Amino acid sequence: MTETNDDAADLLEAGRLLFAGAADFYAAAQVLERIPPMEGVEIAFAGRSNVGKSSLINALTGRNTLARTSHTPGRTQQLNFFRIGDRMSLVDMPGYGYAAVEKAKVEAWTQLIHSYLKGRANLARVFMLIDARHGFKSIDTDVLDGLDKAAVSYQVVLTKGDSLKKGEVESRIAGIQAGLAKRPAAFPQVILTSSRDDRGIPELRAAIAKLLIERGA
């Protein structure tokens, strides 16, 4: 079914209302045993260490300090859970691909992430953040392979979209969509965002609101 302009407007408003209320940090887990019980719908954010996950979460919620941001890649070393109203939670996953972090710690993070993804029945979607300036890197495609294998639904969100010119945006999105075409767990729509000028933020909120509606939340 084709989405009409009225449907799109309704989803944009639903997304605005979803993130207009309370947003609070409520749990963190460095080991599987510390992951909170499943409650409501969860949306997770994954991406390389410097892709801007925390900044995007802050932009989504309209709170500059909800998720901790840092100029030092690799600072998010745990699963961080944020409750959005009484309908859902956002999960900030540890960034991957930062070589300066000890190998043992990276392996521990990786195991934690895999365990979380495999056992979370209330996880509606993973939003896979990709730096718009660079597109897919090999480490990104390795993660996508894992999500496909685990049959975890995911959608690509391009960050730092303000860094590209209009022609570059179209080319980047086309390249990403081509790379997703044969991936079984990938949602086809790519969302371009920027936490600096808020481009794409209303559309991302709308996409999350649609997931909740589909789940009856």
Side-chain angles (χ1 to χ4, degrees):
M1 182 180 295
T2 302
E3 190 175 274
T4 67
N5 289 337
D6 287 343
D7 291 336
D10 288 345
L11 285 173
L12 285 169
E13 178 61 9
R16 185 190 69 80
L17 292 173
L18 175 63
F19 286 94
D24 302 288
F25 169 83
Y26 74 93
Q30 288 185 309
V31 294
L32 184 61
E33 293 75 20
R34 296 294 301 273
I35 294 177
M38 287 184 283
E39 179 183 345
V41 176
E42 287 180 357
I43 305 292
F45 291 84
R48 294 198 301 273
S49 298
N50 58 349
V51 78
K53 285 189 286 83
S54 296
S55 295
L56 184 66
I57 289 172
N58 289 338
L60 273 174
T61 59
R63 290 161 175 80
N64 293 332
T65 58
L66 181 66
R68 185 177 65 176
T69 60
S70 173
H71 295 297
T72 305
R75 284 292 295 274
T76 302
Q77 301 177 7
Q78 57 199 6
L79 292 168
N80 290 315
F81 292 77
F82 303 92
R83 185 172 285 114
I84 308 300
D86 59 357
R87 297 178 64 192
M88 62 168 289
S89 295
L90 299 182
V91 184
D92 186 8
M93 302 175 72
Y96 57 82
Y98 186 55
V101 176
E102 300 94 327
K103 184 177 180 181
K105 184 174 290 186
V106 172
E107 290 174 352
W109 296 352
T110 303
Q111 184 57 49
L112 174 66
I113 291 169
H114 287 175
S115 298
Y116 167 75
L117 292 174
K118 287 191 297 184
R120 214 64 177 173
N122 63 332
L123 178 62
R125 181 166 295 167
V126 173
F127 284 97
M128 182 72 180
L129 274 53
I130 301 294
D131 191 323
R133 299 170 299 177
H134 308 304
F136 286 139
K137 291 190 174 182
S138 59
I139 193 166
D140 295 317
T141 55
D142 288 344
V143 174
L144 297 185
D145 289 343
L147 291 171
D148 284 326
K149 186 175 181 180
V152 174
S153 173
Y154 61 89
Q155 182 171 359
V156 168
V157 174
L158 295 175
T159 61
K160 307 180 184 181
D162 57 294
S163 301
L164 299 183
K165 297 177 182 178
K166 184 176 180 180
E168 293 174 326
V169 167
E170 296 169 354
S171 175
R172 180 67 71 210
I173 291 176
I176 293 291
Q177 289 176 328
L180 295 174
K182 295 184 178 180
R183 290 189 171 274
F187 188 79
Q189 181 189 10
V190 175
I191 302 176
L192 179 84
T193 67
S194 168
S195 58
R196 288 186 177 181
D197 62 16
D198 277 352
R199 75 181 68 189
I201 299 301
E203 289 76 13
L204 181 53
R205 289 173 179 153
I208 295 172
K210 185 176 181 180
L211 284 171
L212 266 62
I213 292 169
E214 291 172 348
R215 290 218 166 194

